[in-house]
Amino acid sequence: MRRIRVMPPELAQTIAAGEVVERPSSVVKELIENALDAGATRILVDIRDGGLSLIRVADDGHGIPRADVPLAFESHATSKIDSLDDLERLATLGFRGEALPSIAQVATVELQTRSAAEDVGTLYRTEFGSARPIAATARPPGTTVAVTHLFGNVPARRKFVRSLRAEAAASQSVVAQYAQARPDVALSLTIDDRQTFLSPGSDSLEDAIAAAQGAAILPNLICLDWEEGGVRVGGVVSTPDVTRQNRSAISFFANGRPIANRSLGFALEEAYSGYLMTGRHPLAVVHLTIDPSLIDANVHPAKSEVRFATDRLVHGAVHHAVANALADHRAAVRPVGGLDYDQDDPATRATLRPLPEMDAPAPPMLQDLPALRVFGQTNAAFIVAEGPQGLYMIDQHAAHERILFDRLDAALDAGEVASQPLLEPTPVTLTATQMQALEDNGDLLRSTGFELEPFGDDACLVRSIPALAVRAATADLTREVLDELAVLPEPAAARERALAAMACKAAVKAGQTLDVREMREIVFQLERTPRPATCPHGRPTMIHLSHSQLEREFGRR
Ligand code: ADP
Ligand code: MG
């Protein structure tokens, strides 16, 4: 019989580390949280080989004073809380003091940091738990943590790591989550030297969502703005016509921390009942602001689950916030019957505009575009036209993109995207990421009219392309679509971005002179699309100057 023994400390630490550092993306998560807790405004994440060769997170936060650096790597050492009281009123993402020591236990970690009060930075290196002496280094204030040889000493853990691409995708989701949690912070992710994610840090949730899920979604989002029993519910949800096959596009944040809480998801979906088909799920980015003492973040080693002291209150607030937003949206949309809708009525405008605080040029609010008469083209980029409600300036590229996107989308739904065989198969050289995207997305590519065959290690043979995209340069088109497919882990978003890339490459360009027939054709087609006002990337296709606006501009009103 085996005797019970106390583990040697190193084994105990490695086992404990496993709870925090489950896979490379857990490291990315902990390091981003530390950067955010340090007040960073910019966070640059670099990973290589799914994170196994390198995870580097650089921030411009307040840094660590030299004397504290070794302490940061001690178990249960934290600058964030002092007492149980602090834990009750947690304002930071971290508090366990376990991340750096756990990571250092299973990898080589190099930390470079400088606090604003110091002139010289500090370099600290530890290899699988054993530290090297501290050295000086020149660097701007902030902190960079580079993690290499992850799981080099725990082969068992390394075996559980999935494909490098899946690990990279998991890290990308983490970065995208924090970008949506904190739109005021700019986050960038580079995977194997290619930047795959960038949020601007503009403090606009929209911009962060556009970075995370593609701007195409923006016109279909409605704002939440609700407060109940001390719980503030903000963020956005999708209109019922935009749905996903799973719940992966539903995110909740509590005081800026991404949280998993299954019952919150139910409270949200409950509000959609009657709006959604079974098996379909909305998209949602919900920000809760709640007294920190009512949240217990200390229920999970990776802090990804939280408990609320007032569960029912929080659920009720989410449910009501969403139900009301949906009801308002419905009330606002129904009376819009094309022509008799007053663009200038501030009330209509406020309720219809999906995201009122948008500071980009507001797209026209028309749901249906009336029949327009084309006058001509200006700057070889814009079509000028007149309708019963005034003057329209249409971006020829954006408009054509919208037309092609909607046609591709409908054809793909119907499973009949026309494919155009090329006269001769064309070889196109590809990067490793593009090759991987080709391998992973065979079905989607075939269904959109591509016939691509791997050709050696770094190229493919293009036999057919989507018929709608025949204007596009084959190599360009193929690479662009594969790039889009490489970036996003979420299948519905990948499809949308791939279609948007095709539409973009196939559409007429700005700078292209169009004859009147071509312009009429674009306007005619645009009138027939369900969402004429924005291109697939969410930018406006047109600017509308109503008669009353013209009169006002000319001082007639
Ligand atoms: P926790 O975040 O729970 O405090 P960590 O092990 O993640 O524990 O970090 C330990 C300590 O190291 C933090 O409390 C903080 O003082 C310091 N630290 C870690 N990363 C950074 C960073 N990027 N910028 C400034 N300080 C940091
Ligand atoms: Mg931490």
Side-chain angles (χ1 to χ4, degrees), residues 422 425-428 430 438 451-455 459-464:
L422 300 180
T426 311
V428 175
L430 300 176
L438 170 62
E451 210 181 310
L452 305 175
E453 234 172 66
F455 188 56
C460 72
L461 265 191
V462 184
R463 297 190 179 278
S464 312

Side-chain angles (χ1 to χ4, degrees), residues 34-35 38 59 63-64 72 77-80 94-101 143:
N34 282 347
D59 69 56
I64 310 174
T78 179
S79 59
K80 298 171 191 175
F95 55 88
R96 303 168 84 98
E98 284 299 329
L100 289 183
T143 304

Side-chain angles (χ1 to χ4, degrees), residues 237-478:
V237 293
S238 59
T239 57
D241 46 320
V242 177
T243 58
R244 301 281 196 249
Q245 278 165 10
N246 54 42
R247 297 192 170 86
S248 65
I250 301 179
S251 320
F252 286 94
F253 303 94
N255 300 342
R257 177 198 302 281
I259 54 168
N261 180 310
R262 274 169 62 82
S263 43
L264 273 184
F266 287 119
L268 178 125
E269 293 205 275
E270 193 47 39
Y272 275 87
S273 65
Y275 287 99
L276 295 185
M277 285 194 300
T278 40
R280 303 297 300 184
H281 305 278
L283 177 149
V285 178
V286 181
H287 280 262
L288 302 171
T289 315
I290 174 170
D291 182 343
S293 67
L294 299 177
I295 303 182
D296 183 1
N298 192 23
V299 291
H300 187 270
K303 299 164 290 179
S304 57
E305 286 200 22
V306 300
R307 249 189 246 132
F308 296 107
T310 47
D311 242 5
R312 297 190 47 177
L313 181 69
V314 179
H315 295 164
V318 167
H319 182 91
H320 294 142
V322 178
N324 275 284
L326 287 172
D328 282 355
H329 170 74
R330 220 169 141 171
V333 168
R334 229 196 247 127
V336 181
L339 301 188
D340 53 9
Y341 148 55
D342 185 4
Q343 163 96 356
D344 288 324
D345 175 0
T348 331
R349 200 189 298 196
T351 45
L352 257 186
R353 184 176 298 186
L355 291 161
E357 70 270 33
M358 190 151 89
D359 49 18
M365 292 304 116
L366 296 177
Q367 299 280 316
D368 298 316
L369 189 61
L372 300 181
R373 186 163 69 90
V374 172
F375 290 145
Q377 190 187 26
T378 178
N379 202 26
F382 308 107
I383 302 168
V384 184
E386 179 202 40
Q389 292 173 307
L391 206 55
Y392 294 78
M393 277 145 286
I394 297 164
D395 181 320
Q396 64 195 36
H397 174 69
H400 200 206
E401 255 184 330
R402 162 54 70 197
I403 294 164
L404 294 175
F405 178 89
D406 281 5
R407 275 205 237 159
L408 281 165
D409 195 36
L412 190 51
D413 275 345
E416 48 197 29
V417 178
S419 182
Q420 171 72 53
L422 300 180
L423 287 179
E424 271 179 50
T426 311
V428 175
T429 51
L430 300 176
T431 63
T433 328
Q434 289 164 341
M435 287 298 286
Q436 185 70 49
L438 170 62
E439 193 184 313
D440 292 344
N441 295 281
D443 288 344
L444 176 61
L445 286 163
R446 259 188 304 285
S447 64
T448 55
F450 274 104
E451 210 181 310
L452 305 175
E453 234 172 66
F455 188 56
D457 284 342
D458 61 353
C460 72
L461 265 191
V462 184
R463 297 190 179 278
S464 312
I465 59 173
L468 274 176
V470 284
R471 277 172 189 257
T474 302
D476 236 23
L477 172 75
T478 309

